[in-house]
């Protein structure tokens, strides 16, 4: 049983639980960046994509559950995040999605289920639309697919604690440890203008999808999550009680049950 961290006090102080020793890790040189990845376990592949400003270590509460379900977990630090580098071009979700495909090629994975959190969820859904042959299912948590899905930003102590942790981790992991402010500005510019998926785009998705939305999400509107679930054929809507945008850290057991349900459907793991 995971202890709750609803206020992210433990996350701010310590970060997420550490990742175990990896089966393999490395970098992929792709389109002006070095993209870091690590893999764990064996079985049907599950690609785990973290949120904006974070890194793969934020999945410390989820990785054991994915491995325990008999899957091979592949964690990727998005371009410019964590141990991955970036060039001077603006961030785009499509560019980061292409990085993920490059990692999949490097580790000989043709098709995978995806677990995405916030920006990572957006990357996963773009792959489901643009490279459906590579995607067996998407657990889409805490993200929008067009600008109408976001709430007006209001800072909270929980957000501030998460941001403080991200800042500290960036300094410890990044190849450009003094560049956090520029990095935040660049990610924020992307988030203000992307994604821009239409209902027609979403209706083309043909893989199992769970739209997971927290009861107290600080960034994403519930009616947007409901719209996504209606618009993507066969998608499920899961409302996570008692948590916010940081559910994987706050109450992992709530998040993991829904995550594993989608992973099992997408990978046919019993």
């Amino acid at each position: 049983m995971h202890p709750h961290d609803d206020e992210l006090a433990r996350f701010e102080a310590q970060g997420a639980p550490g990742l175990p020793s990896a089966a393999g890790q490395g970098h992929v040189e792709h389109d002006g960046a070095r993209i870091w990845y690590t893999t764990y376990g064996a079985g049907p592949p599950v690609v785990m994509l973290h949120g904006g400003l974070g890194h793969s270590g934020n999945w410390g509460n989820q990785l054991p559950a994915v491995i325990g379900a008999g899957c091979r977990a592949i964690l990727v630090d998005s371009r410019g995040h964590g141990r991955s580098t970036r060039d001077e071009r603006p961030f785009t979700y499509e560019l980061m999605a292409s990085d993920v495909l490059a990692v999949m090629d490097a580790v000989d994975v043709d098709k995978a289920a995806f677990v995405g959190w916030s920006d990572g969820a957006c990357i996963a859904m773009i792959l489901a639309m643009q490279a459906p042959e590579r995607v067996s299912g998407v657990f889409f948590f805490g993200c929008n697919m067009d600008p109408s899905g976001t709430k007006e930003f209001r800072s909270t102590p929980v957000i501030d604690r998460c941001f403080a942790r991200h800042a500290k981790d960036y300094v410890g992991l990044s190849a450009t440890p003094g560049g956090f402010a520029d990095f935040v500005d660049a990610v924020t510019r992307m988030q203000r203008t992307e994604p821009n998926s239409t209902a027609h785009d979403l209706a083309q998705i043909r893989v199992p999808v769970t739209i997971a939305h927290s009861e107290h999400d600080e960034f994403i509107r519930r009616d947007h999550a409901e719209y996504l679930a209606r618009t993507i054929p066969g998608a499920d809507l899961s409302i996570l009680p008692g948590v916010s945008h940081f559910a994987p850290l706050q109450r992992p057991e709530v998040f993991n049950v829904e995550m594993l349900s989608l992973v099992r459907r997408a990978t046919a793991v019993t």
Side-chain angles (χ1 to χ4, degrees), residues 80-132:
H81 295 65
R83 298 169 181 84
S84 294
T85 68
R86 65 182 177 109
D87 55 16
E88 294 304 311
R89 283 177 294 170
F91 282 107
T92 71
Y93 291 116
E94 285 78 10
L95 184 56
M96 291 195 285
S98 73
D99 294 334
V100 173
L101 293 180
V103 170
M104 291 173 67
D105 291 344
V107 298
D108 296 320
V109 168
D110 292 330
K111 192 172 190 175
F114 284 80
V115 175
W117 176 1
S118 198
D119 279 2
C122 184
I123 294 166
M125 200 73 87
I126 285 171
L127 287 170
M129 290 185 281
Q130 297 185 355

Side-chain angles (χ1 to χ4, degrees), residues 17-25 36 38-41 59-61 63-64 67 75:
L19 301 179
S21 298
Q25 64 177 332
W36 181 88
T38 184
T39 68
Y40 301 86
W59 288 121
N61 290 312
L63 179 62
I67 299 170
L75 278 59

